[in-house]
């Protein structure tokens, strides 16, 4: 299966409103290290696949469905991933700098040590996600959901919208000694982190 060709066919499908090309729908595929830049991959479906260390910069991946797919060490910087679903996905050490991820879903995903510097994460959901040592510096988290997220060593320096984050509880501290914060204590802690 020529994966590059499948991506290019989807790009044709997306820009022609489905008149040409073919929609990308892949399951259980091995695509680590693939390089695809500047394509329209909106509405694509890649489930339970391996995209570790893939170069996916400057793509439109909005409304995509990437359930349980691994993007460890992948570069998705400058991409549009609004309303995309990354639930249960692995994005360890992934780069999402300057990405636009409005209303994207990362529920129960692993974003440990991921770089989300200056990303637009308004109303994105990180419910029960592992965000340990992730970089949210200068990101916009207005209306984002961090309920139950693991925030050990997470960087929120100069992040915006922290007062609008929704979270009944989060886990801070260290992996060895986790600390559960609840209610108003969550917001107070986030605002302190934002001031850095």
């Amino acid at each position: 299966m020529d994966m590059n060709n499948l991506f290019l066919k989807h790009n044709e499908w997306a820009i022609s409103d489905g008149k040409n090309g073919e929609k990308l729908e892949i399951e259980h595929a091995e695509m680590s290290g693939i390089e695809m830049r500047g394509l329209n991959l909106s509405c694509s479906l890649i489930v339970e696949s391996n995209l570790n260390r893939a170069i996916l910069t400057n793509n439109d991946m909005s409304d995509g469905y990437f359930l349980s797919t691994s993007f460890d060490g992948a570069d998705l910087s400058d991409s549009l991933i609004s309303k995309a679903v990354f639930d249960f996905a692995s994005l360890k050490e992934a780069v999402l700098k300057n990405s636009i991820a409005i209303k994207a879903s990362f529920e129960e995903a692993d974003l440990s040590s991921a770089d989300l510097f200056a990303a637009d994460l308004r109303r994105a959901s990180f419910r029960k996600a592992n965000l340990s040592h992730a970089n949210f510096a200068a990101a916009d988290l207005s209306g984002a959901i961090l309920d139950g997220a693991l925030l050990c060593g997470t960087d929120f320096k100069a992040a915006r919208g922290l007062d609008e984050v929704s979270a009944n509880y989060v886990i801070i501290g260290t992996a060895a000694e986790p600390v559960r914060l609840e209610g108003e204590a969550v917001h107070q802690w986030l605002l302190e982190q934002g001031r850095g």
Side-chain angles (χ1 to χ4, degrees):
M1 193 173 1
D2 183 353
M3 291 299 174
N4 289 42
N5 195 38
L6 292 179
F7 278 79
L8 294 170
K9 277 186 173 177
H10 182 93
N11 178 67
E12 196 180 343
W13 175 86
I15 61 177
S16 69
D17 290 327
K19 292 184 182 72
N20 302 308
E22 194 175 325
K23 186 178 180 184
L24 184 66
E25 295 184 341
I26 300 173
E27 289 185 44
H28 310 293
E30 168 57 55
M31 297 177 282
S32 56
I34 196 168
E35 288 193 34
M36 286 288 141
R37 307 168 197 254
L39 297 179
N40 188 334
L41 303 174
S42 59
C43 301
S44 55
L45 183 148
I46 303 174
V47 175
E48 294 179 0
S49 295
N50 181 355
L51 279 156
N52 293 344
R53 298 176 310 284
I55 307 297
L56 298 165
T57 55
N58 201 32
N59 288 316
D60 180 352
M61 298 169 72
S62 58
D63 295 292
Y65 191 71
F66 309 110
L67 191 76
S68 299
T69 287
S70 184
F71 292 89
D72 295 348
D75 189 350
L76 288 85
S77 53
D78 301 300
S79 286
L80 177 60
I81 51 178
S82 294
K83 295 185 183 174
V85 175
F86 290 89
D87 295 353
F88 305 102
S90 183
L91 295 108
K92 291 182 279 193
E93 299 182 358
V95 180
L96 294 97
K97 289 191 295 190
N98 302 307
S99 59
I100 299 173
I102 299 167
K103 290 187 179 176
S105 182
F106 298 90
E107 298 196 359
E108 298 192 47
D110 187 348
L111 288 101
S112 51
S113 299
D115 187 356
L116 296 104
F117 177 82
D120 187 344
L121 305 167
R122 287 175 290 165
R123 299 189 298 287
S125 178
F126 296 92
R127 192 177 274 112
K128 293 187 177 175
N130 181 357
L131 307 176
S132 299
H133 304 286
N135 178 20
F136 286 92
D140 190 346
L141 286 155
S142 304
I145 300 167
L146 293 179
D147 198 35
L150 188 59
L151 304 176
C152 303
T154 309
D155 186 354
F156 290 103
K157 228 174 261 115
R160 290 163 294 159
L162 293 175
D163 54 330
E164 296 175 38
V165 165
S166 169
N168 293 319
Y169 79 96
V170 296
I171 307 295
I172 62 166
T174 63
E177 294 182 27
V179 177
R180 182 181 169 116
L181 288 184
E182 297 184 11
E184 193 47 45
V186 174
H187 288 103
Q188 288 172 358
W189 181 84
L190 282 170
L191 291 171
E192 281 170 23
Q193 300 304 306
R195 287 192 286 271

